[in-house]
Each structure stands twice: as structure tokens, then as C-alpha cells.
Amino acid sequence: MTSVLRLRAERLLIPAAFVTALGNNVQLIAGALLVLRTEGTMLSVSWLFIAVAAPQVLLSPLFGRLADRFDRRRLWIGSDLTSAIFALALPAWLWLGGAPGPGIYVANLGLAIVSALFFPTSAALIRERVEPTHLRKFNANYEMATQGGMFLSATVGGLCVQTFGAIPLLLGNAATFAFSALCVFAVGRRAPMVSPDAATASESRERRVAGGTSRARLGWLIVLFAQSSVVVTVFNALLPKLVLGEYHRGAGIYGAVDAVGSLGFLGATWSYRVIASKLGDLRISLVGYLACSVLFVFQPDVGITGLLLMVTVSAFLFGHARIASRNLLMSSVEPHVAGRVFGMANSGGLAATIAAMLVVAEITDRTDCRFGFAATATLSAVAVATCAARLAGRRAADGPGFRDEPIGASVNSTRDAELSPAPSNG
């Protein structure tokens, strides 16, 4: 029964993650396009992204602890249903004649608060339900789904806003959250917990396989994973400014650029499965992020055709790095604390995003998008290079017992053990 529940979870959590990412970002992209039409500056778009990030910075650590205490499946379902309500509120407000600006900010603020719970909850549920030996493959599929949803959201948002207007798009967007809730409901309840003695033995085996991941090393893994949020969010703010403001193209072209990015990320998902076991996640993540930063500098200078190609290649490299850094972090934590660790990662990444967004927006509005892209690439490269140096030191300190592979890769004896959080009060 435990094996069946695990396989069911692995099948259903992927589409749930995809439609949730699509729904969250369609709402944000539609809001960004409406704000850009009325305000016309990078800073105005940045404030919208900051309004979305700020609640998550404050609330993600707290909500991560809640995800480790209460039933994670119910929390995910509750997050999706609450998001559907916020998604419906904005088109209703616009249809009644409300001012777009306040409605956009309030609706996205509500979704941001829910996302602060969703992010650590989803990570913790995955760590709880997915077989440890399947984490590498699952994380590749999960990142493909979430990043694909984010990229596709620009295509859907751009084309639909241009063709039908914002209200029909936002009405349909609410259905994505309802679909996600149904998928997670179908996952079913978790299997009975193993006895305390068995759980203790399982955790002891995992710590031995992990090679003794230190608190300092875990902190740098969080930084490595979290800095990727800066790149994604700032890119999503820079892209409409570049395509609509400087290239003077329509929302459809803007959507097409993000669409080819999703293809690049899709290719990375399949490629990662082939090379991960040969190269190791740490090397893939460091090289991928640094190479992506180099390409990022040249994207504004190559025109629309070149931009389509550059975004595809950048997304391919970024996809490898993002999957690998997620797998490194998830494999380094025990299931009962996964929520708080990913809550910290979400909070730290978005706090850095707010600071980077303000800096990049000010640079872009005073100059042009070329300098904004270059500033973003520099910030990411510095963060990744620092992580590389610190993680190399920690790896040497951990000694020859360290293994750059998912926790549980050798723990076949615990395959049917349910690695669950503390007893649920939900």
C-alpha cells in the first residue's frame, strides 16, 4: 500500500505543480502588462513584483514550520482553493468598474501570501511522499513542470491579454488552482507512520549516507538554490520592458520569447537525467548558473531573432542548474524539517530579489535594458562564485565520506518506510 501511494503521489504532484505555477504567474504577468501599459516604467513593474515578494519574505519561515507540523496534503489543497478565490476576485473587481491598479496589487498580494505557505508545503510533501531513490528523477520532472508553467504563463498571458483582454484570462486562471487541488486530493492520505524505533533507524541511515551534511554547508546550498529565484523574477520584470518598451513589439512577441524558454527548460529536464549521475549535481549547478550569467549579458543586443535563440539556450543551461541545486538541497534535509528549510530558501531568495529588483530597476530606467541585464548577471555570478568557493571548502572539511548524491540512494532497506512529519493536528 505504501508503494502504491508513493507512485500515485509521484504521478499526480507533477501536474498539480505545473498548473499552480501557471496560475500564479499568469496572474502576475497579466498584472505586469496592465501596469506597464499605464505606467510605462521598469520601476512600476518592479513594485508589483516586490509587492508579491515581500509577504513571502516575512511569512515563508513561519509557514515552513507549519508545513512540518500539520498535514501537508491538506495545506496544499487549502492553498490552491484560497488562490482560486483571489484569482476570481480581480476580474470581478475589474468587471464592476474598479480601478485596475489597486485591484492588481491587492489580488497579487493575496496570492503572494498563499504562495508563502504553498512553497514550503509542496517541498515538504514531496520529501515526505517521494521515494528517496526517485528524488533525482522526480526533481527534474518537478522543476520542468514549475518552470515550464512559469515560462508558459507569459505565452498564455501575453497572447490572451492581446486577443481577449484581461478579464477572460483571469477568470480561466482560477480553474488552474481548482485542478491542482483535485490532483493533490487524489494523492490520498499518507500511509501509517513507522514506529519510532524504525523512524530513528531510518534517519540514522540517511545521515550516514549523506556523509554528515553540516549546518554551514546546508546554508550555502540554500543560497545556491535561492539565488536562482532572483534571476527568474528579475528576468520576468526585464523582459516586458525590453520587448514592449525598447523593441516596440506586442504582447504576443513577449509571450513567444518565454515560450521558447519553456522549450529550453524542457530539453534540460531530459538532458539532466543523462548527465547527472556522471557529473554530479554540484558541478552541474555551478557551471550551469555561471554560463547562464554570461549569456544573460548579451541578450538585449541581439534583436528579436537572436533573443529567441539566446533565451532558449539560457533556459537550457539554467534548467540543469536549477534542477541540480534543488536536488542538492532536498537531498540534504530530513523529511521532518523539509518545510522550514525550503521556507528559509524561499524567504532568503525573495529578500534578495527585492533588493536586486530595486537596483536593476533604477539602473534600467536611468540607462536601458542592456545595463539591467548586465547587472542581474553580475549579481548572480558573484553569488554562485561565492557558493562555489564555500561549498568546495565544506566538501573538503566533510572528508572522503561526503557523497554528492541524493540521500537514500543506498538505503533500499527503508524503501517502504513512510518518512513523515511530526504527527498531524490537521
Side-chain angles (χ1 to χ4, degrees):
M1 178 60 69
T2 301
S3 178
V4 170
L5 290 175
R6 286 185 182 275
L7 292 175
R8 184 193 300 172
E10 292 177 23
R11 288 195 302 267
L12 292 172
L13 291 180
I14 297 297
F18 171 77
V19 296
T20 298
L22 178 65
N24 275 325
N25 286 278
V26 160
Q27 191 92 1
L28 183 57
I29 293 299
L33 292 175
L34 292 173
V35 168
L36 189 63
R37 284 179 178 178
T38 57
E39 301 293 337
T41 65
M42 169 72 179
L43 188 60
S44 63
V45 177
S46 298
W47 279 117
L48 176 61
F49 281 89
I50 289 169
V52 170
Q56 298 184 63
V57 172
L58 299 174
L59 296 174
S60 286
L62 171 63
F63 287 168
R65 291 182 176 274
L66 293 179
D68 290 334
R69 181 178 179 185
F70 296 100
D71 187 274
R72 294 155 174 178
R73 173 172 164 267
R74 293 183 181 180
L75 288 176
W76 186 327
I77 293 172
S79 297
D80 279 332
L81 295 179
T82 306
S83 295
I85 294 173
F86 280 113
L88 288 172
L90 179 55
W93 170 263
L94 296 175
W95 183 74
L96 292 172
I104 291 169
Y105 279 99
V106 170
N108 281 286
L109 180 65
L111 286 173
I113 294 173
V114 179
S115 294
L117 176 61
F118 172 81
F119 187 89
T121 297
S122 60
L125 183 63
I126 289 166
R127 188 67 180 89
E128 171 190 319
R129 297 298 186 95
V130 176
E131 180 73 31
T133 54
H134 296 174
L135 271 179
R136 178 169 276 164
K137 178 181 178 181
F138 182 89
N139 280 328
N141 292 333
Y142 186 87
E143 282 295 328
M144 178 199 70
T146 54
Q147 298 299 323
M150 291 176 66
F151 279 116
L152 187 60
S153 66
T155 306
V156 173
L159 293 175
C160 289
V161 167
Q162 182 172 296
T163 306
F164 306 109
I167 292 180
L169 170 67
L170 295 171
L171 286 173
N173 187 45
T176 63
F177 296 110
F179 178 80
S180 174
L182 287 174
C183 288
V184 179
F185 178 80
V187 166
R189 297 180 179 179
R190 64 174 181 248
M193 295 177 60
V194 294
S195 66
D197 291 341
T200 301
S202 171
E203 291 170 7
S204 177
R205 291 188 192 98
E206 288 195 80
R207 281 192 289 270
R208 289 199 299 272
V209 172
T213 299
S214 66
R215 183 180 297 271
R217 183 175 186 277
L218 181 62
W220 287 109
L221 290 177
I222 291 175
V223 173
L224 182 63
F225 175 73
Q227 65 83 33
S228 62
S229 299
V230 178
V231 178
V232 171
T233 308
V234 176
F235 175 78
N236 282 334
L238 280 168
L239 189 59
K241 176 67 174 175
L242 176 65
V243 175
L244 280 67
E246 297 189 9
Y247 287 167
H248 304 291
R249 302 299 182 95
I253 295 295
Y254 164 61
V257 174
D258 259 357
V260 298
S262 67
L263 294 178
F265 209 103
L266 179 62
T269 302
W270 297 104
S271 175
Y272 169 81
R273 295 173 181 173
V274 176
I275 67 174
S277 59
K278 300 176 182 178
L279 300 180
D281 286 319
L282 183 59
R283 183 178 303 158
I284 291 172
S285 60
L286 295 176
V287 173
Y289 284 137
L290 290 174
C292 188
S293 294
V294 173
L295 293 179
F296 209 67
V297 175
F298 299 102
Q299 288 182 9
D301 297 317
V302 293
I304 288 295
T305 303
L307 183 63
L308 290 169
L309 177 61
M310 293 283 281
V311 168
T312 304
V313 177
S314 297
F316 181 75
L317 294 169
F318 183 85
H320 284 88
R322 172 80 179 187
I323 296 167
S325 60
R326 177 185 176 86
N327 196 59
L328 278 170
L329 181 58
M330 184 168 287
S331 300
S332 299
V333 298
E334 295 174 3
H336 68 282
V337 295
R340 68 192 70 180
V341 169
F342 276 86
M344 291 170 57
N346 194 40
S347 176
L350 290 174
T353 297
I354 292 175
M357 187 75 76
L358 290 173
V359 172
V360 172
E362 186 68 18
I363 292 173
T364 302
D365 287 337
R366 288 180 177 273
T367 55
D368 55 47
C369 281
R370 292 176 301 165
F371 294 93
F373 275 79
T376 306
T378 300
L379 292 173
S380 177
V382 169
V384 173
T386 303
C387 289
R390 302 302 299 176
L391 286 171
R394 293 310 313 173
R395 187 168 183 173
D398 286 339
F402 173 78
R403 301 176 65 174
D404 182 15
E405 63 183 34
I407 290 177
S410 304
V411 194
N412 296 326
S413 61
T414 62
R415 177 167 298 174
D416 295 327
E418 181 65 25
L419 300 176
S420 305
S424 170
N425 294 330

